[in-house]
Amino acid sequence: MGGFGSGRPWSGKPKVEQASPLNVAKLFRDGHIRQGQGWQTSLIWTSSRDQSQTGSIGFRSWCDRDDEPDRIELYGTYRDKPFSQTIRLVSIPGTKGGKRWFAVCPVTGRRCLKLVLSGRHGGWVSVPASGFRYYSECEDYLGRCRSAIDRAEAKQKRLSKYARQSTRDRVRRELWAAEWRWQQVFEVYAGRLNARLAQAGLAEWV
């Protein structure tokens, strides 16, 4: 296996979404980690723009077995060199029974649900340990309103044809509310820009 981390090194500090994130809860949902079993597969990351493959890594997991410690193993090549990393898994009792599983950050030793690939640490670490930021943290308020519209539209597209009418109405109201907030914020920003242009003696552009 291999391919992740190949090519040009990162320039600047990447965002969480760029850093080949691993979400423990999603790994369970997708069947890559199975309680009471060992499992082996490969993980593939794709671009959100064109769905092209951006990286891959070999993956093994052992969870809730008496003969093996709870862990996941990642292996392959990193920047054309052999790579392997072991990350411990720990669990706490769930509020509704069963267990809730977490990864243990190799740097901080704390439980976490999400790990990201950090070139500085040479492997996957928790988001706080990496120092990376989410795209949403770098957006202004107008950008966050636009993202809210995108999320509402995506939720609307994911609705099953068997979804209840009350569910469809709720999602539609979410979309309308997000669009209304965006319009209000845009008008405020446009008003401020026009005021500055007027002070500078320029024609109204917005």
Side-chain angles (χ1 to χ4, degrees):
M1 294 301 301
F4 77 97
S6 58
R8 298 193 318 175
W10 290 319
S11 59
K13 183 180 292 186
K15 304 298 182 291
V16 170
E17 293 85 352
Q18 292 177 306
S20 302
L22 289 174
N23 187 306
V24 175
K26 187 175 187 301
L27 290 171
F28 271 97
R29 287 196 303 271
D30 293 345
H32 297 317
I33 305 177
R34 306 185 180 193
Q35 285 190 240
Q37 297 185 36
W39 195 252
Q40 181 170 339
T41 184
S42 60
L43 304 179
I44 297 175
W45 290 270
T46 57
S47 169
S48 59
R49 292 184 177 180
D50 55 10
Q51 299 303 308
S52 60
Q53 181 175 323
T54 59
S56 63
I57 187 71
F59 180 88
R60 288 188 288 255
S61 67
W62 293 264
C63 179
D64 213 13
R65 289 178 47 166
D66 295 332
D67 59 334
E68 290 282 354
D70 300 322
R71 69 192 189 277
I72 59 177
E73 290 183 0
L74 304 162
Y75 61 94
T77 56
Y78 179 48
R79 294 178 182 171
D80 300 325
K81 294 181 180 180
F83 169 87
S84 65
Q85 182 182 13
T86 300
I87 300 171
R88 288 196 303 125
L89 296 173
V90 295
S91 64
I92 62 174
T95 57
K96 297 181 180 179
K99 297 179 180 179
R100 188 179 180 195
W101 289 89
F102 297 86
V104 177
C105 174
V107 175
T108 66
R110 294 185 175 183
R111 297 194 305 258
C112 61
L113 280 174
K114 182 171 287 188
L115 299 157
V116 292
L117 178 59
S118 169
R120 180 164 63 94
H121 295 97
W124 273 267
V125 300
S126 64
V127 175
S130 70
F132 298 166
R133 301 175 67 187
Y134 291 89
Y135 277 120
S136 59
E137 295 180 285
C138 304
E139 291 179 325
D140 58 15
Y141 191 65
L142 188 63
R144 291 197 293 273
C145 291
R146 180 66 252 180
S147 296
I149 294 175
D150 293 340
R151 289 193 299 271
E153 289 178 341
K155 187 183 296 185
Q156 195 174 49
K157 290 179 181 179
R158 290 196 302 268
L159 283 176
S160 166
K161 63 179 181 179
Y162 303 110
R164 296 179 179 179
Q165 188 60 43
S166 59
T167 302
R168 295 181 182 278
D169 292 341
R170 176 175 53 80
V171 173
R172 190 178 297 112
R173 287 195 298 270
E174 288 181 15
L175 178 57
W176 288 344
E179 291 174 338
W180 181 85
R181 284 195 300 272
W182 183 90
Q183 183 65 33
Q184 296 299 307
V185 175
F186 178 80
E187 290 177 0
V188 170
Y189 280 23
R192 291 176 181 175
L193 178 58
N194 283 331
R196 291 182 181 180
L197 291 173
Q199 289 177 355
L202 300 174
E204 184 174 313
W205 291 92
V206 180

